[in-house]
Amino acid sequence: TAIEKLSRLARRDELTGLYNRRELEERLANELQRSQRSKRGFAVAIADLDDFKKVNDTYGHDAGDEVLKGLAKVLIGGIRGTDIVGRWGGEEFLFVLPETSQEGARVVLDRIRKRVSEINLSYRDMVIPLTISIGMSYCESKCERDSILKEADLALYEAKHTGKNRVLCHVR
């Protein structure tokens, strides 16, 4: 129905089909509350496509869109049913990994990072090499939304500036 379609559009990124930023904000708020009640930790991670501007400049924006769609499939295929991934903005993606250890989250994220570097995404008979950098923050006890996002973003920044194609965890 039209109402179901509008509801989906309100929660999903139109290009990738992943959750949009509004839905991610809501899911993160829910996870913060759940974690405080259950006293079980969770991870938040921000992934960013390495050198995405170069993809758009070299192959065109249509190719960039295809890359984002292909990447979305890899990201969604690499997480558990209870995990959340969505498009945070541009070529950035946010993960919320509930009820996991810091090491468990790192293993999942590194597996995704590896899969992205192994896919041979082709566009108009051209193979486009891809890598992603991921910054992660782990919440074990009471955490604030802004601080956990800032920590993940700082870890991402460090991953980008120390070689790319890596997963780094913010250390408190």
Side-chain angles (χ1 to χ4, degrees):
T1 69
I3 292 172
E4 288 168 338
K5 187 175 181 182
L6 279 173
S7 176
R8 179 176 161 73
L9 287 173
R11 295 181 296 120
R12 299 285 180 163
D13 174 64
E14 195 174 342
L15 179 66
T16 63
L18 297 175
Y19 289 125
N20 63 23
R21 190 175 183 123
R22 179 186 313 144
E23 184 70 12
L24 288 168
E25 294 271 8
E26 195 173 303
R27 299 281 178 125
L28 178 57
N30 291 342
E31 184 53 29
L32 282 161
Q33 290 176 347
R34 190 213 51 78
S35 178
Q36 286 179 353
R37 280 193 315 272
S38 70
K39 305 291 189 247
R40 290 201 178 112
F42 73 101
V44 169
I46 302 173
D48 185 78
L49 258 169
D50 295 327
D51 303 313
F52 186 63
K53 183 180 180 336
K54 198 184 302 180
V55 170
N56 279 330
D57 290 350
T58 304
Y59 305 100
H61 289 278
D62 288 344
D65 286 352
E66 291 305 311
V67 163
L68 292 173
K69 289 181 203 174
L71 178 63
K73 289 176 186 164
V74 174
L75 301 182
I76 201 78
I79 61 173
R80 304 171 298 176
T82 55
D83 297 336
I84 298 160
V85 65
R87 189 167 176 201
W88 194 235
E91 68 274 12
E92 283 191 342
F93 298 85
L94 184 85
F95 293 88
V96 179
L97 308 172
E99 296 195 27
T100 189
S101 65
Q102 182 174 335
E103 187 54 32
R106 181 189 290 276
V107 166
V108 167
L109 295 168
D110 200 52
R111 186 173 55 232
I112 290 169
R113 180 206 55 79
K114 191 171 186 283
R115 284 183 185 164
V116 169
S117 68
E118 292 170 349
I119 60 172
N120 289 315
L121 200 79
S122 59
Y123 178 77
R124 293 189 180 161
D125 299 326
M126 296 176 289
V127 175
I128 302 173
L130 298 178
T131 60
I132 58 170
S133 297
I134 304 173
M136 180 180 95
S137 180
Y138 189 75
C139 178
E140 207 157 12
S141 55
K142 188 171 168 39
C143 297
E144 298 294 323
R145 175 206 165 278
D146 290 348
S147 60
I148 197 166
L149 287 170
K150 183 176 176 125
E151 290 168 0
D153 198 47
L154 287 170
L156 172 63
Y157 180 84
E158 189 176 337
K160 288 287 211 182
H161 289 86
T162 57
K164 301 179 183 173
N165 192 27
R166 58 194 335 166
V167 177
L168 287 184
C169 183
H170 177 80
V171 181
R172 291 178 190 203

